[in-house]
């Protein structure tokens, strides 16, 4: 079975930082494209960042220069470093995996990020 287990969410003040992690199992992690999405309160799920098996990255415009996605294949982990956080970054953040061979998609359970003073 595929599992994506997220951690690192919490409450931070504006301007603060958080680092989210997603540990994957049950997939060929090295060849999978990984991504982070988020869902703000009362809104739909939106793309944040992605990284391919070849470590090509892509970012939503609203996080460029503030967030960085990375992967550690030895630990089957994808991370999202979030700096200069704003109240509008408040959302449930989800980890997503797309498998190379099958093209199937899996989602993590989500982790809450709240930015407030």
């Amino acid at each position: 079975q595929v599992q994506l287990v997220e951690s690192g969410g919490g409450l931070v003040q504006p301007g603060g930082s958080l680092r989210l992690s997603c540990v994957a199992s049950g997939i060929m992690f090295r060849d999978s494209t990984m991504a982070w999405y988020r869902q703000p309160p009362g809104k739909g799920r939106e793309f944040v960042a992605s990284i391919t098996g070849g470590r090509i990255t892509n970012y939503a415009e609203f996080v460029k220069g503030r967030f960085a996605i990375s992967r550690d294949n030895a630990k089957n982990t994808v991370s999202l470093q979030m700096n200069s956080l704003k109240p509008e970054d408040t959302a449930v953040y989800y980890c997503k995996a797309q498998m190379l061979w099958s093209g199937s998609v899996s989602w993590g359970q989500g982790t809450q990020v709240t930015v407030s003073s």
Side-chain angles (χ1 to χ4, degrees):
Q1 61 182 31
V2 177
Q3 288 193 37
L4 303 176
V5 181
E6 298 158 317
S7 62
L11 174 65
V12 296
Q13 293 185 322
S17 298
L18 282 175
R19 185 176 180 87
L20 306 182
S21 295
C22 171
V23 180
S25 61
I27 63 172
M28 297 292 291
F29 181 82
R30 186 181 301 271
D31 297 324
S32 298
T33 294
M34 307 298 296
W36 289 94
Y37 286 70
R38 71 187 189 186
Q39 186 167 4
K43 299 181 65 177
R45 192 170 297 187
E46 61 188 8
F47 172 80
V48 176
S50 65
I51 183 167
T52 69
R55 291 186 170 84
I56 304 299
T57 59
N58 192 28
Y59 296 94
E61 286 295 327
F62 55 80
V63 302
K64 282 187 175 179
R66 299 191 297 125
F67 293 8
I69 189 170
S70 62
R71 67 192 298 153
D72 186 341
N73 289 343
K75 298 180 179 179
N76 285 5
T77 299
V78 62
S79 299
L80 184 69
Q81 179 66 47
M82 304 185 294
N83 300 321
S84 302
L85 284 162
K86 306 173 181 179
E88 52 263 44
D89 294 319
T90 295
V92 178
Y93 283 71
Y94 296 91
C95 179
K96 174 191 174 185
Q98 182 166 7
M99 277 63 87
L100 175 65
W101 185 246
S102 67
S104 63
V105 172
S106 297
W107 293 90
Q109 78 287 348
T111 185
Q112 178 70 50
V113 172
T114 302
V115 185
S116 176
S117 59

